[in-house]
Amino acid sequence: MTASPVRTASAVPVAEEVRLAAVRRYRILDTPPDGAFDRIASLAARLFDAPMATVAIVDTDRVWFKAAHGLDGITEIDRGPGLCASAILHGEPYVVKDAGADVRALADPLVQGEPGVRFYAAAPITTADGQRLGTLNVLDTRPREPTDDQLEALQDLAALVMDELELRLSAMRTIAAERDRRAEAERLARALQRTLLPPTLPDVPGLHAAAAYHPASADEVGGDFYDLFPLDDGRWAFFLGDVCGKGAGAAALTSLTRYTLRAAAIYDPDPCAALANLDSVLKGEYQGSDPRYCTAAFGVLQPLSDGSHSITLAGGGHPSALAVRADGSVEPISTAGGQLVGMLPDPQFVQTTTRLRPGESLLLYTDGLTEARTADGMMLGEDGLTRHLTATAPRTAHELLHSVETLLQQLGDGVSDDTACLALSVPAPSTPRPQENR
């Protein structure tokens, strides 16, 4: 193999620059061996009853073989006058009957050295816009004279090579377009999701609050929601829930649900009344269409003189909240029996009360967390979440949220649905209050 001088861009004719641009467009150079091209080369060799055949792409200073039947260990040769490099200058089959006696071919590495080629026939691999990427070649170590039928068949096989390259280019473009579409969908989904959740949680006197949302899919808007906001009488309202479905429909339902609950709390802050108000709005909004419903937990915080907070919590088909007590025990704050919001003709909502004392915290979450699968394929469930919180013993809203995020990371691919979490805690008297709203 002989070395060829490197060509500078200014030394390359314009027509050759255009041809090389076409070669780059198909992104075929230096790709791994491929059965489709190997079969075409093998078929060309059988057609001529010849020992060697190649699918060659002519690069700037080399001829690279995508397929090389009968040329063991040879993947490229230097580009120079001779066989392939000369053949691409012609738009029709190019034949060298006896390379040993043909001045055009004497300098070619395959003629000078091993395997000592004497016969060469090539058909150009030509794009729809007339650019010749390379050639389909048949080679022999003895002089030959091909028939017209063989050369015509070789052209057909070269056209098959071009068809295969076009198919692959189309596939690459489709994949790239899909990648761009997904990236844009992810960007829009993230932007839309941010509008459905409060950007930050407010600063509640005597309370720590932290929240997080973990989407199961980066390019699809989920329906989990939460909020925390003040009431006129010094109390605070909060809610967390999960609407049915994904995508734009779920986003519209989430927006309606969140703002309806906020408005309902101003009209009547009783938690069951707020859920009943939401139920009426959802049924009126989606009357006659596909049912739109959600699960939700709605609560009201009342600060007390001893530093604790009284919590009244109502549930509509939502998982129980979990209270982490000062002694490290985890207690479910059950609203079992509460029914889906927006689904049933006359749903029942269940209300309960609890108290958060200094050093205690409360976790509300959507079922993406408890329905996640553990390593043994079992659902995590409320019991699994309780065991995890008991083992990690979080004391503040920030620690509680961090404990859940660690659990989600451990579950990995077992998490198949979006998860929203809202954590509230009353700081212990000796604990300085950090900025934890997220």
Side-chain angles (χ1 to χ4, degrees), residues 135-403:
T135 52
L136 174 62
N137 314 293
V138 176
L139 308 97
D140 203 342
T141 55
R142 56 189 178 89
R144 299 271 301 273
E145 182 161 350
T147 67
D148 291 341
D149 287 344
Q150 286 175 321
L151 294 178
E152 185 176 346
L154 190 63
Q155 286 182 291
D156 290 339
L157 290 177
L160 284 179
V161 171
M162 193 64 245
D163 289 345
E164 186 68 22
L165 291 174
E166 290 289 357
L167 285 173
R168 288 164 192 245
L169 179 60
S170 176
M172 286 188 289
R173 286 174 171 168
T174 299
I175 291 170
E178 176 64 14
R179 188 182 298 116
D180 291 344
R181 185 200 67 78
R182 289 181 65 86
E184 178 64 11
E186 289 177 11
R187 187 187 68 79
L188 292 174
R190 287 193 297 269
L192 179 55
Q193 195 75 64
R194 284 194 295 270
T195 68
L196 303 177
L197 300 171
T200 59
L201 295 180
D203 189 15
V204 182
L207 195 75
H208 293 178
Y213 173 75
H214 295 267
S217 171
D219 62 349
E220 192 170 41
V221 181
D224 293 10
F225 58 90
Y226 58 82
D227 208 345
L228 173 65
F229 54 96
L231 300 174
D232 291 339
D233 56 5
R235 295 183 297 168
W236 290 76
F238 63 92
F239 57 78
L240 180 139
D242 183 7
V243 307
C244 66
K246 301 284 185 184
L253 181 57
T254 299
S255 181
L256 174 64
T257 297
R258 183 181 169 208
Y259 290 105
T260 296
L261 284 175
R262 269 189 167 254
I266 295 172
Y267 174 73
D268 185 351
D270 177 77
C272 278
L275 294 182
N277 191 308
L278 174 62
D279 181 75
S280 298
V281 170
L282 293 186
K283 289 174 182 174
E285 185 72 19
Y286 293 99
Q287 187 175 17
S289 63
D290 293 336
R292 294 289 182 174
Y293 58 89
C294 70
T295 69
F298 187 101
V300 173
L301 288 159
Q302 172 71 62
L304 302 176
S305 58
D306 64 356
S308 62
H309 282 68
S310 174
I311 297 178
T312 303
L313 185 67
H318 201 76
S320 298
L322 295 177
V324 181
R325 297 307 184 185
D327 62 0
S329 63
V330 178
E331 175 190 347
I333 309 302
S334 177
T335 53
Q339 296 174 321
L340 293 172
V341 184
M343 170 66 81
L344 304 174
D346 188 19
Q348 176 182 354
F349 305 120
V350 174
Q351 187 167 297
T352 188
T353 60
T354 189
R355 179 178 290 194
L356 278 191
R357 294 175 174 82
E360 296 184 339
S361 56
L362 183 73
L363 174 68
L364 288 86
Y365 57 90
T366 55
D367 59 11
L369 176 58
T370 48
E371 291 182 359
R373 299 283 174 173
T374 59
D376 59 6
M378 302 296 291
M379 243 190 257
L380 177 69
E382 184 183 299
D383 289 344
L385 177 57
T386 298
R387 286 193 298 271
H388 175 78
L389 295 179
T390 302
T392 55
R395 297 298 182 187
T396 68
H398 179 75
E399 291 176 357
L400 184 53
L401 197 63
H402 178 71
S403 178

Side-chain angles (χ1 to χ4, degrees), residues 7-83:
R7 303 182 180 188
T8 63
S10 60
V12 179
V14 172
E16 176 64 0
E17 288 183 348
V18 174
R19 191 195 70 80
L20 288 171
V23 171
R24 303 289 184 267
R25 182 170 73 239
Y26 288 89
R27 289 181 276 181
I28 190 69
L29 289 169
D30 299 312
T31 55
D34 188 292
F37 297 102
D38 290 342
R39 284 190 292 273
I40 292 174
S42 177
L43 183 58
R46 288 202 304 272
L47 176 68
F48 279 76
D49 191 23
M52 295 165 285
T54 64
V55 175
I57 305 297
V58 180
D59 196 5
T60 308
D61 55 4
R62 62 172 177 158
V63 177
W64 178 79
F65 298 136
K66 176 59 180 173
H69 176 82
L71 286 173
D72 294 339
I74 300 178
T75 59
E76 63 180 58
I77 59 173
D78 291 338
R79 176 178 176 176
L83 303 181

